[in-house]
Amino acid sequence: HTSSPLADCPTANSHCRGPGCVVDSSPAAHPSPRLLRSLMCDLLVCARELWSAHLGGLQVADEDECCAVAIKDGRIVAAGPISSLPDEIVAGAAKRLDTDGPGRRTLLPGLIDLHCHWDPTGGSLSRYGFEPDPTFLPRGITTVLSQGDAGADTWGAYAKALSGCRTRCLMAMNLLRAGELPAYFADGKHADGEDLEDFDAEACVRAIEAGGDRVWGVDLYGHSWLPQPHQQGLTQGCCGLQKRWAQSW
C-alpha cells in the first residue's frame, strides 16, 4: 500500500513491512498519543506456538521469536507471530506473560465443552453437576453446554448463579420441571424413571423465554425409557415446543 498515516492505513493492525510498503516520515505519519494509547494492551501472552482458527490453524514462531496474544479490556485485540504485531502493542503492554519452561508451549483459544453438567452450588441443584469455575477454567475450558441440569423449577436458581460465573455457561432446558434436582431422585424415588406428570412443556417454554440467549437447547435424552405411546406424545409436544421456542427467539 502507499504511504499514509497509521490511523488511515488499512493494514496497520498487521504491521505491514512488506515490499511496496513505504514508511512516511512526515509528521502526519506518526500516530497521536491518543492513538498510541488505544493500541496499548493490558496483557501480552507469549508462547512458541499459537493455535487460532482466525489465522488458519497452528502458528509456529521462529527459534528467535514467539507468538503472542494481546488482550485489552478483557478482549483479544491482536494475535500472531510477535513480529506481525504493531510495535506499539508489544512495547506498550502493561504486563507481559512469557510461557517459558521445558518443551514447546502452545497458546489455545478457550475450549468449549459440548456436553457437561454443572451446578454452582456444588451439588444441591444437580445430581451430576460440578462447580464451573474451579472445574473447567483450570483445564482451559471457558464455555460449557449443560445437558438438562436445569428445569423450570430450578432455572431461577441457575440464572441467579450465572451472574457470578466467569465460565460462560449455556443451558439445555429439561422438560422435567425438576431437571436433575437431587431431591427429586433422593431415597430411590423415581429410580426407574420420571413421572409423566412431572414433564411440563409449557413451563419449559416459559423458562426458555426467561433464559434468552443463556439457553441453547432442550434436553430430551434420557427419557427413552418411556413407553412408545408416551414417547410419541412427548415428541409431538416437543414439536410444538420447538415452534414456540423459535417464535420466542
Side-chain angles (χ1 to χ4, degrees):
H1 61 278
T2 58
S3 60
S4 61
L6 179 61
D8 300 324
C9 175
T11 59
N13 288 335
S14 61
H15 193 69
C16 178
R17 295 292 187 270
C21 178
V22 180
V23 178
D24 192 340
S25 60
S26 66
H30 296 281
S32 66
R34 181 178 179 182
L35 178 58
L36 286 175
R37 287 194 298 271
S38 71
L39 290 173
M40 295 177 184
C41 65
D42 303 319
L43 175 64
L44 190 71
V45 185
C46 304
R48 177 71 189 285
E49 298 179 350
L50 164 69
W51 199 99
S52 169
H54 180 70
L55 297 175
L58 184 65
Q59 308 292 307
V60 181
D62 295 334
E63 290 289 344
D64 58 345
E65 69 167 8
C66 64
C67 293
V69 173
I71 301 169
K72 183 179 179 65
D73 297 329
R75 301 183 68 87
I76 294 175
V77 294
I82 199 166
S83 60
S84 71
L85 273 59
D87 294 335
E88 293 78 16
I89 285 183
V90 176
K95 182 178 180 181
R96 176 167 172 163
L97 175 63
D98 289 287
T99 58
D100 52 4
R104 289 186 174 182
R105 302 297 178 93
T106 303
L107 287 175
L108 297 172
L111 303 178
I112 301 174
D113 190 329
L114 297 177
H115 186 130
C116 78
H117 295 275
W118 70 278
D119 178 353
T121 67
S124 66
L125 290 177
S126 173
R127 54 180 174 160
Y128 301 124
F130 298 93
E131 292 186 67
D133 288 352
T135 302
F136 301 114
L137 291 180
R139 293 165 174 81
I141 300 169
T142 55
T143 298
V144 294
L145 273 62
S146 173
Q147 309 291 326
D149 293 294
D153 290 345
T154 59
W155 168 244
Y158 272 97
K160 184 177 180 180
L162 280 173
S163 61
C165 290
R166 296 174 60 203
T167 310
R168 181 170 178 249
C169 301
L170 305 178
M171 310 297 297
M173 199 66 65
N174 204 317
L175 278 174
L176 184 69
R177 292 185 64 101
E180 297 294 350
L181 188 67
Y184 180 83
F185 299 93
D187 301 325
K189 184 181 180 182
H190 310 294
D192 297 326
E194 303 89 337
D195 292 337
L196 282 176
E197 63 184 20
D198 296 329
F199 289 96
D200 192 333
E202 292 299 316
C204 186
V205 168
R206 291 193 295 271
I208 289 170
E209 291 172 342
D213 59 6
R214 295 172 293 182
V215 180
W216 72 269
V218 182
D219 177 54
L220 300 178
Y221 182 79
H223 308 315
S224 58
W225 59 268
L226 292 170
Q228 188 64 29
H230 294 307
Q231 287 191 39
Q232 293 175 353
L234 187 58
T235 301
Q236 292 173 359
C238 289
C239 288
L241 176 65
Q242 184 180 26
K243 292 178 181 177
R244 288 196 55 183
W245 188 25
Q247 292 172 356
S248 70
W249 275 56

